[in-house]
Amino acid sequence: MRNIQKTTQNDLFGLGPNAATLRGAGDRPLSVPFSLLEKIRGKSPGVRGTQFLGLLTVTEGKRAGKPQKLANFQRLFVKGALAKNVTVGVLSIGRGNGKTALSAGLALAELVGALEDSPQPNREIIFAARNRDQARIAFNFVLGYIKALPETDQAQFTIRRGSKLEVEFEGNGGGLARCIAADGKSVLGGAPTLAIMDERAAWEREKGDNLENAILSGLGKRDGRALIISTSAPDDTNTFSRWLDEPPPGSFVQEHRPAFGLPADDLPSLLAANPGAPEGIGSTPDWLVSQARSAIARGGSALSSFRNLNRNERVSIENRSVLVTVDEWLSAEVAPDELPERDGPCILGVDLGGSRSMSAASFYWPDTGRLEALGTFPASPSLADRGASDGVSGRYGEMHERGELSVMGENTVPPGPWLEEIVRQLDGIQPACIVGDRFRHAEFSEALSKAGLGRVPFIWRGFGWKDGSEDIERFRRALFDGEIKVVPSLLLRFAFSDAVTFIDVAGNAKLGKGRSLGRIDAAAATVLAVAQGARMKAAPQKKVRALWQ
């Protein structure tokens, strides 16, 4: 009869000499049943995964110590991500909805072999997070689940907390779970059966992509799966956004993102991004609404951060140098039936694109505040190919369908015919003036002559520190004072999301791109038009002298 050593709690968590090993005759690990596996009856990995998670105990929060109960959205993701022929499961959801706890539970399930009826031996689980601190949070969730297990189950785990964060399981064929940081070395040579990438949108771009590629290449060795879980990325170019927008074959995508442009405190859209709130996971609906209103009152980075993290919207939280924030621009958008009339003088702001780039024009009526914008690309490459290369997926196609983006020319947009077509959009209204970049003086002069606009006054402006700083300030003032009204425009939304300002030592600002592939042409044309409109309104009116007989 074998004599099994008794393992204490201190031994289990690395504080004693035995460190969670069960030894018998010949000093070999003994095969000890894992009690939770006896309660799982499901056949498919998805069903087995939900059953296993339901057997765990909540480790922290309001329900700490109680049996874990999966929310509907969690059950849907587990079954979808672990379904047959699915190799990558992607989940995008607001902060505080139990993403890390869910993924830690799935890591433990794979570690003990609960996801398969006949699991592979020596299973390998990689839990990758943004940095070591984030990885430690996931590691602590796993430890919390283990601490709540029966003592005989706990004794089958070995915990390593030093330079490596690892959990080793000796029963059911054995397994090793490792928590690693995305800013560390790659994992080339590994063969994981399950890889979890936590908060993927926050990883450093180059190192994160390299680590992801290394992990995915290793999964093929043992028919492994990957789970990519995160709040929304700040833009469409992020690798996590590409997973959501262009999932490859074998992917399961579940995204909880509300429609763009809604008020930050809109409760139905808040619950769409936080489906755990009505089911007692994370923040309550009342707390979300109160925090939204607080963020609205504070504005700036607080509001942008709330939209990105709590509403799960693709909004940049870096607002120190943005031209205007998302909410500041959304304040100018109105319904089509609320758009003011085309009344008074019209100012045409033009940003003439170079070879293979966009040309954009904005019409602004300063008396009513009405604003319209149009953009044009050359035909080659196609809008679909441009969207893929610029990292915006099918956005250009959507703009084209909405009438905000057109195609003209083969490899370049011809300035003369393009300006002629732009003015034709005014339905006979003659622009009071045209505002454009001084640097393109020769091209503009030729284009105006070919378009029959030689008699329309042209105002030259620079995009440098001098003219740029004044135009940016006048544009911002007009926007904040409610002097701009525009119907919702994808063209302008994406242009302003990429538009930033560079500040010199004297505090002067000039317009620039937030990313190399950004298209800010429509934003530049709008700044020129609105700033000129503000100058015209501020100019003193000539008084008519009375003539006395």
Side-chain angles (χ1 to χ4, degrees):
M1 183 174 180
R2 289 177 176 175
N3 180 26
I4 301 177
Q5 295 180 359
K6 183 178 179 181
T7 304
T8 66
Q9 190 81 351
N10 284 344
D11 293 332
L12 171 62
F13 291 97
L15 302 178
N18 296 323
T21 55
L22 293 177
R23 303 289 177 179
D27 201 33
R28 292 183 295 103
L30 299 177
S31 178
V32 180
F34 194 73
S35 62
L36 266 62
L37 297 182
E38 299 173 358
K39 302 177 182 180
I40 297 177
R41 298 290 183 266
K43 296 299 181 182
S44 68
V47 174
R48 294 177 67 87
T50 57
Q51 290 178 348
F52 180 86
L53 292 172
L55 297 173
L56 299 178
T57 301
V58 178
T59 61
E60 60 182 52
K62 296 173 289 186
R63 300 188 68 253
K66 297 181 179 180
Q68 185 161 262
K69 182 180 179 181
L70 292 185
N72 290 331
F73 79 91
Q74 293 176 320
R75 188 174 291 105
L76 176 65
F77 175 71
V78 172
K79 290 184 177 180
L82 300 181
K84 186 178 180 180
N85 298 325
V86 172
T87 57
V88 179
V90 186
L91 174 64
S92 174
I93 197 169
R95 169 182 282 184
N97 282 270
K99 298 186 302 298
T100 303
L102 176 66
S103 53
L106 290 173
L108 181 60
E110 174 65 16
L111 178 63
V112 301
L115 298 182
E116 301 287 348
D117 194 22
S118 299
Q120 298 185 42
N122 299 318
R123 297 169 296 279
E124 181 181 349
I125 299 91
I126 293 178
F127 203 119
R130 178 184 179 182
N131 50 42
R132 184 176 174 84
D133 290 337
Q134 187 68 33
R136 185 178 292 277
I137 294 174
F139 183 74
N140 289 337
F141 267 110
V142 175
L143 296 191
Y145 288 138
I146 295 175
K147 287 181 181 180
L149 296 175
E151 287 192 8
T152 54
D153 289 341
Q154 291 184 34
Q156 300 184 60
F157 294 92
T158 301
I159 313 298
R160 301 186 182 97
R161 295 175 176 268
S163 58
K164 297 180 180 180
L165 300 177
E166 296 180 344
V167 180
E168 187 173 357
F169 180 69
E170 295 185 348
N172 201 19
L176 176 66
R178 296 187 291 153
C179 292
I180 63 174
D183 55 5
K185 297 180 180 180
S186 69
V187 290
L188 291 175
T193 55
L194 178 68
I196 299 174
M197 303 178 219
D198 191 38
E199 291 297 350
R200 178 64 182 89
W203 292 11
E204 185 179 336
R205 186 178 297 270
E206 184 176 352
K207 290 182 178 179
D209 288 351
N210 290 338
L211 178 59
E212 178 186 288
N213 294 334
I215 290 174
L216 294 179
S217 65
L219 290 173
K221 300 177 182 179
R222 301 176 65 180
D223 296 327
R225 299 176 187 265
L227 304 179
I228 306 177
I229 303 176
S230 180
T231 52
S232 185
D235 54 60
D236 290 334
T237 63
N238 188 282
T239 304
F240 184 66
S241 297
R242 304 293 288 272
W243 275 107
L244 297 171
D245 296 341
E246 304 168 4
S251 302
F252 173 81
V253 175
Q254 184 173 323
E255 184 176 21
H256 297 270
R257 178 159 58 109
F260 187 80
L262 295 173
D265 59 350
D266 178 67
L267 181 57
S269 58
L270 276 171
L271 297 182
N274 299 272
E279 302 192 53
I281 297 177
S283 308
T284 64
D286 290 341
W287 184 90
L288 289 170
V289 172
S290 66
Q291 290 300 303
R293 291 171 180 169
S294 175
I296 292 172
R298 294 166 62 193
S301 61
L303 183 54
S304 299
S305 179
F306 182 85
R307 282 191 176 276
N308 180 245
L309 299 177
N310 295 94
R311 289 183 58 85
N312 202 36
E313 297 182 17
R314 289 186 191 176
V315 175
S316 175
I317 60 177
E318 175 59 65
N319 83 318
R320 290 175 295 174
S321 62
V322 296
L323 179 61
V324 291
T325 65
V326 171
D327 285 270
E328 289 168 349
W329 176 250
L330 290 179
S331 66
E333 293 188 352
V334 297
D337 57 353
E338 298 176 3
L339 188 66
E341 298 292 330
R342 290 177 164 183
D343 190 26
C346 173
I347 300 168
L348 174 56
V350 179
D351 185 23
L352 198 60
S355 60
R356 299 174 66 85
S357 62
M358 179 191 290
S359 292
S362 289
F363 309 105
Y364 181 60
W365 286 263
D367 289 353
T368 63
R370 179 181 179 124
L371 175 70
E372 301 175 14
L374 296 171
T376 304
F377 272 127
S380 181
S382 67
L383 294 181
D385 291 340
R386 284 182 183 275
S389 62
D390 288 356
V392 295
S393 188
R395 296 293 188 265
Y396 294 149
E398 293 180 45
M399 296 176 192
H400 182 66
E401 293 174 0
R402 293 163 61 100
E404 301 165 2
L405 187 63
S406 61
V407 175
M408 180 180 289
E410 185 60 29
N411 294 314
T412 63
V413 176
W418 176 74
L419 269 179
E420 188 176 0
E421 178 62 29
I422 287 297
V423 175
R424 191 177 294 120
Q425 301 294 323
L426 292 173
D427 298 325
I429 298 176
Q430 184 82 347
C433 63
I434 301 175
V435 192
D437 186 3
R438 182 184 294 110
F439 183 72
R440 313 293 292 275
H441 180 279
E443 292 176 81
F444 268 123
S445 298
E446 297 171 2
L448 290 172
S449 178
K450 292 180 180 179
L453 300 172
R455 294 187 178 183
V456 177
F458 198 101
I459 299 174
W460 306 108
R461 301 294 294 177
F463 281 106
W465 305 112
K466 182 178 181 296
D467 290 350
S469 185
E470 178 193 338
D471 289 347
I472 287 172
E473 185 58 32
R474 288 186 181 274
F475 164 77
R476 284 173 169 166
R477 189 179 295 117
L479 177 64
F480 300 157
D481 290 343
E483 296 177 357
I484 301 176
K485 302 295 180 184
V486 60
V487 295
S489 167
L490 286 180
L491 175 69
L492 288 173
R493 285 179 179 179
F494 280 89
F496 280 108
S497 69
D498 282 327
V500 300
T501 56
F502 299 104
I503 312 297
D504 69 1
V505 292
N508 299 309
K510 68 176 181 179
L511 193 61
K513 295 180 180 181
R515 60 188 182 93
S516 60
L517 296 176
R519 303 290 185 180
I520 65 169
D521 310 83
T526 300
V527 169
L528 291 174
V530 173
Q532 179 58 27
R535 279 189 291 270
M536 291 175 60
K537 290 182 66 175
Q541 301 294 324
K542 293 183 179 180
K543 296 182 179 180
V544 179
R545 296 182 179 181
L547 298 177
W548 298 93
Q549 298 291 338

